[in-house]
Amino acid sequence: MKETLPITRVAVIGAGIMGSGIAQLAATAGYETAVYDASPQQLSLARREIEASLGKLVSKGLVDRAAASRALGRLTECATLEAAAAGADLVVEAAAERLLVKQSILSESASVASPSALLATNTSQLSITAIASAVPGAADRVVGLHFFNPAALMRLVEVVAGLETSAATIAAARDFAESLGKETVVCLKDSPGFLTSRIAAIVRLEALRMLEEGVGTAADIDRALRLGLNFPIGPLELGDRNGHDTFLLILESMTDTLGERFRPTVGLRNLVAAGRLGRKSGRGIYAYDEHGKIVQAEQP
Ligand SMILES: NC(=O)c1ccc[n+]([C@@H]2O[C@H](COP(=O)([O-])OP(=O)(O)OC[C@H]3O[C@@H](n4cnc5c(N)ncnc54)[C@H](O)[C@@H]3O)[C@@H](O)[C@H]2O)c1
């Protein structure tokens, strides 16, 4: 078993909802953090979102101002994947939830990162073993490092072992997550949806089915789960935060691996086809004002 290096340089590939949050966490914890996104607009948006998020944490007294400005100083946006991953001790892939995209990112990253780098993926449910098959000779260093949205605030990171992932890699992945102030669980068996997404998907899917059947309004379905079942946020509102396009990809993949109970609804397909992806596109199941407050619920 090869030893993994102590981590000083982190590369985050994909700077959307999750990648920007993961980069923020890594930079705040003291890691030199390089970020790349295939979309240059998204890359500059990510920096603005990290600045805004750190600003909020400062105003709530959760991060001090000097620490926030040091974090921003450790962040570098890179124009290419190679530039971001070169010499990295840890690569965290947080791009689109598609197997081929993740395989190609980790394979390209492995060729320029440190020879002992941890190669992590933030996939919500794809097989770590299948992703690792694209990096022959390094499958022992590939691991699931599954953050939750918003990454800066959610307490858990789920560490997922692929069939070939070494014990040293699992230990290093846990240490890294804990160095960001997170708690960890380990999904020992590479199984679709791991310990979390399998349940989360079923709950959100059932809420979408109820909405489409007209059982209640979106606002009442969300309120019912918040007030009656003690959910911190309603599943439909959470869907708007997490992105319906990503959820559709997750469900399509989980229908393949786990069966019909994960089949996406027609309403979800329509939302994505209409570009109503949630907060990231300004409109999803709910519409939002310029401050991000819900102004109305719309049926998909
Ligand atoms: N949104 C969530 O709540 C959530 C939670 C946990 C895990 N995840 C997982 O995290 C990953 C990212 O999800 P997200 O919500 O941040 O999606 P997102 O759509 O907000 O961001 C994905 C980003 O990846 C970029 N990208 C796509 N292909 C790329 C490539 N080849 N190279 C570099 N960048 C590329 C896109 O331009 C986009 O900015 C997915 O695997 C998703 O399943 C999402």
Side-chain angles (χ1 to χ4, degrees):
M1 178 195 312
K2 283 174 233 148
E3 283 299 310
T4 47
L5 283 180
I7 294 166
T8 53
R9 298 185 59 183
V10 174
V12 179
I13 310 300
I17 295 173
M18 295 310 294
S20 60
I22 295 166
Q24 174 184 332
L25 278 170
T28 306
Y31 299 99
E32 286 303 322
T33 306
V35 190
Y36 166 72
D37 194 288
S39 152
Q41 293 84 344
Q42 184 60 40
L43 197 55
S44 36
L45 179 63
R47 175 167 280 264
R48 293 200 297 281
E49 290 193 334
I50 293 171
E51 283 169 356
S53 168
L54 283 170
K56 268 193 211 151
L57 295 175
V58 168
S59 67
K60 288 183 180 159
L62 297 172
V63 171
D64 77 58
R65 192 171 298 282
S69 111
R70 283 197 301 276
L72 289 171
R74 291 187 202 102
L75 270 180
T76 313
E77 296 97 282
C78 297
T80 63
L81 184 154
E82 290 71 21
D89 307 308
L90 164 64
V91 177
V92 185
E93 171 284 313
E97 185 72 351
R98 296 181 189 275
L99 180 62
L100 291 177
V101 169
K102 293 183 183 303
Q103 287 179 325
S104 118
I105 288 174
L106 285 195
S107 152
E108 269 190 68
S109 300
S111 64
V112 293
S114 144
S116 310
L118 285 188
L119 303 169
T121 168
N122 188 50
T123 180
S124 301
Q125 48 78 42
L126 289 165
S127 162
I128 307 304
T129 310
I131 295 171
S133 70
V135 278
D140 59 323
R141 291 186 277 122
V142 176
V143 64
L145 203 54
H146 184 203
F147 290 81
F148 297 83
N149 184 26
L153 299 180
M154 296 298 284
R155 287 157 58 198
L156 185 68
V157 173
E158 182 174 30
V159 174
V160 188
L163 197 58
E164 306 294 344
T165 309
S166 71
T169 294
I170 296 291
R174 291 187 82 168
D175 287 350
F176 173 73
E178 284 163 16
S179 77
L180 307 181
K182 302 301 181 191
E183 295 186 40
T184 57
V185 290
V186 180
C187 181
L188 292 171
K189 186 169 180 185
D190 188 6
S191 173
F194 318 134
L195 303 177
T196 51
S197 302
R198 205 162 152 170
I199 308 283
I202 283 293
V203 170
R204 192 179 309 157
L205 192 51
E206 202 57 37
L208 281 167
R209 290 186 188 118
M210 288 162 63
L211 180 64
E212 289 169 42
E213 286 165 18
V215 179
T217 62
D220 272 356
I221 293 169
D222 277 345
R223 244 164 86 80
L225 275 94
R226 281 199 321 272
L227 304 184
L229 302 185
N230 232 2
F231 278 43
I233 178 173
L236 299 172
E237 192 184 345
L238 185 59
D240 269 6
R241 289 191 189 205
N242 290 357
H244 298 299
D245 51 343
T246 301
F247 190 47
L248 179 56
L249 291 172
I250 287 171
L251 290 178
E252 286 174 342
S253 172
M254 289 174 82
T255 305
D256 284 348
T257 51
L258 294 174
E260 281 303 303
R261 66 191 192 274
F262 288 95
R263 181 166 293 289
T265 62
V266 170
L268 177 67
R269 289 187 188 284
N270 284 344
L271 272 179
V272 175
R276 284 169 54 184
L277 308 182
R279 279 180 182 264
K280 68 181 167 187
S281 70
R283 196 169 157 223
I285 291 170
Y286 295 92
Y288 298 86
D289 69 15
E290 66 277 19
H291 308 292
K293 282 226 161 14
I294 291 175
V295 287
Q296 70 187 90
E298 309 182 52
Q299 306 294 321

